[in-house]
Amino acid sequence: MTAQFDRIALIGIGLIGSSIAHDIKRLGLAHEVVVATRSAETLKRAEELQLGSRYTTSSAEAAENADLVIVSVPVGASESVAREIAGSVKPGAIVTDVGSTKASVIAQMQPHMPPHVHFIPGHPLAGTEKSGPDAGFPGLFEGRWCIFTPIAGTDEGALKKLRKFWESLGSKVDEMDADHHDKVLAIVSHLPHIIAYNIVGTADDLETVTESEVIKYSASGFRDFTRLAASDPTMWRDVCLHNKDAILEMLARFSEDLAYLQRAIRWGEGDKLFELFSRTRAIRRSIVQAGQDVDTPDFGRPHAQDTKTN
Amino acid sequence: MTAQFDRIALIGIGLIGSSIAHDIKRLGLAHEVVVATRSAETLKRAEELQLGSRYTTSSAEAAENADLVIVSVPVGASESVAREIAGSVKPGAIVTDVGSTKASVIAQMQPHMPPHVHFIPGHPLAGTEKSGPDAGFPGLFEGRWCIFTPIAGTDEGALKKLRKFWESLGSKVDEMDADHHDKVLAIVSHLPHIIAYNIVGTADDLETVTESEVIKYSASGFRDFTRLAASDPTMWRDVCLHNKDAILEMLARFSEDLAYLQRAIRWGEGDKLFELFSRTRAIRRSIVQAGQDVDTPDFGRPHAQDTKTN
């Protein structure tokens, strides 16, 4: 593939930033990649992994003369990054981000963007429970959705360029309004993570059942939740703080439904339980049919793996 | 391996019953395997899959002259099965089950067991989200725990024989009190399934986000819950009805913790969120270290599989 940008600045080099770096290199999408992160230690690791062609702890320096600036930091750090790069990002440059919440990121970054800079908020729906520059890998975005939430009046040419970039990484690009994005992600991503964190916390706090019992017998269901609950604490703290309204709305719905389910259990209303437990099965089928998950039982986990280590 | 029993009766031939059948055959643990299930259709399928040497829709007939009777039915059907086999099970025979709740199964079956029959309640912590005779496979119990909850005064020789049987299937056998089993399973298995069913139901009922959006973007977390929520509705209805007290206790703890978390989100208490989100990460590590889950990111799902089908 030929280079799409002369210089790309990657601000933040965690799971997402480093995966983008791997793909830019693999596909030759830029002549130069400048990696910036605040932590000297992380920067050193990024250099060891050869994720870029230049390395700096200054976002401002990284943004200088970059044609594309990709901000991959916890959403709570968006405003400070915007402030830092405001003075150095060049006219005509595209500035985008990968944050899991969009209305908040727009409110934090947009006011600081100089005129003639194309700020296009984005969100690749990709990742794993791992974090840091070592967690990234080429192909992470292959076949995954990337959602743009463009601000009214965004330059069509800039949009097209950024769309082409993500499509080169294998992504399917969608566009929607920032508020709708935040509602959609609140249910498909934020609520599931919060619920997973919560149930793992509950299990950890029990007196009647020991933590070692929870771990020992976790394969009977519990372990599925521990994967999401192992996600980056800083990232998820910021998501909770910056998509508050949508998350609280979904939490209210969830709790209301759970109270209904709890009551059905208390009063032995088997029909209500059976109705719900059958309905949810159909949704799993649709997800598998849509190619959004594997159909192999138990996510294809090896079924004799426990013996090796236990 | 040499046969451990002359005749084994498998009453119920779903995921668990059929997996046991595969292993008995594979390992030659019995001279004769009689398969019994109420549904003529399921029985026909079991015969097509050659899961046994004889087939009947009568549990009573299956139990006749069996040295080992394994009851693998939804826990709510335990009493009727116990009633049916009471008249035909021979003295000295071992009767066991695989139910996910134990106090209730004991209360349902024990009163019907004739003297000189060794009733040993058991629970193999194994399975997938699939169900029915086609879902079973050899090796399902490999490296997985099987918990016995023996009644006081149970014959040691019978216990030893049944333990040897499960160990032949690759299981690690534990023994505990039925009430403790029910509390442990309520948190490691029952609550996770109920929460998964609930969140999938909540997502299905939203007006602001369409079902097609939920399915399309499910890979960002939601899909993890849909696997558990695709489990057998009859089995899980019965679990909820027959482990009510322990489940309601765990649900109360979960909801209390969720209210605390919700309040922290509402009031922007980032430190409380960060503390929980960090603590849960350590539990994931322990589970992986204990060999109870794979360490490969995203359960080892293929990361480009979506493109094939989408």
Side-chain angles (χ1 to χ4, degrees), chain B residues 45-68:
Chain B
R45 188 58 193 148
E47 192 160 2
E48 287 164 358
L49 294 166
Q50 300 175 37
L51 296 174
S53 30
R54 281 212 292 122
Y55 305 86
T56 170
T57 53
S58 153
S59 308
E61 193 188 314
E64 248 174 70
N65 298 313
D67 309 283
L68 173 64

Side-chain angles (χ1 to χ4, degrees), chain A residues 125 127-131 140 142-145 172 174 176 180 183-184 187-189 191-195 197-200 202-209 213-230 232-234 236-237 240-241 244 248 250-251 253-255 257-258 261-262 265-266 268 270 273-274 277-281 283-284 286-287 290-295 297-299 301-307 309-310, chain B residues 125 127-131 142-145 172 174 176 180 183-184 187-189 191-195 197-200 202-209 213-230 232-234 236-237 240-241 244 248 250-251 253-255 257-258 261-262 265-266 268 270 273-274 277-281 283-284 286-287 290-295 297-299 301-307 309-310:
Chain A
L125 307 193
T128 74
E129 70 274 23
K130 312 279 181 179
S131 50
L140 172 63
E142 190 73 44
R144 306 297 297 274
W145 291 99
K172 299 170 286 184
D174 259 355
M176 63 178 73
H180 186 63
K183 272 200 191 333
V184 171
I187 186 65
V188 298
S189 178
L191 185 63
H193 280 80
I194 288 164
I195 294 307
Y197 278 122
N198 192 69
I199 194 170
V200 174
T202 300
D204 189 34
D205 289 340
L206 294 174
E207 307 79 25
T208 49
V209 178
E213 285 175 312
V214 169
I215 290 162
K216 188 173 174 184
Y217 305 122
S218 60
S220 45
F222 181 73
R223 66 176 177 178
D224 277 24
F225 293 75
T226 61
R227 188 186 76 79
L228 291 181
D232 182 26
T234 306
W236 283 97
R237 177 202 61 203
C240 291
L241 299 178
K244 192 169 106 172
L248 288 175
M250 297 305 169
L251 269 172
R253 297 287 296 249
F254 173 87
S255 298
D257 293 342
L258 190 59
L261 186 50
Q262 184 168 336
I265 293 172
R266 186 179 304 280
L273 300 173
F274 189 84
F277 298 173
S278 310
R279 187 154 59 94
T280 53
R281 205 173 208 188
I283 295 179
R284 172 69 179 175
S286 311
I287 285 173
Q292 290 303 316
D293 206 349
V294 293
D295 191 29
D298 206 9
F299 299 126
R301 286 180 177 116
H303 258 268
Q305 55 106 1
D306 301 357
T307 43
T309 41
N310 237 14
Chain B
L125 307 192
T128 74
E129 69 275 23
K130 312 279 182 178
S131 50
E142 189 73 42
R144 305 298 298 273
W145 291 98
K172 299 169 286 184
D174 259 356
M176 65 179 72
H180 186 63
K183 273 199 192 331
V184 171
I187 186 66
V188 299
S189 177
L191 185 63
H193 279 80
I194 290 164
I195 294 307
Y197 279 122
N198 193 70
I199 194 169
V200 174
T202 300
D204 189 33
D205 290 340
L206 294 174
E207 306 80 23
T208 50
V209 178
E213 284 175 312
V214 168
I215 289 161
K216 188 173 175 185
Y217 304 122
S218 59
S220 44
F222 181 73
R223 66 175 177 177
D224 278 24
F225 293 76
T226 61
R227 188 186 76 79
L228 292 182
D232 182 26
T234 306
W236 283 98
R237 176 202 62 203
C240 290
L241 299 178
K244 192 168 106 174
L248 289 174
M250 296 305 168
L251 269 172
R253 296 288 297 248
F254 173 87
S255 298
D257 293 341
L258 190 60
L261 186 51
Q262 184 168 335
I265 292 170
R266 188 179 301 282
L273 301 173
F274 189 84
F277 298 174
S278 309
R279 189 153 59 93
T280 52
R281 203 172 210 187
I283 294 178
R284 172 69 180 175
S286 311
I287 285 173
Q292 291 303 314
D293 206 349
V294 292
D295 191 28
D298 206 9
F299 299 128
R301 286 178 175 119
H303 259 267
Q305 57 107 0
D306 301 354
T307 44
T309 42
N310 234 11

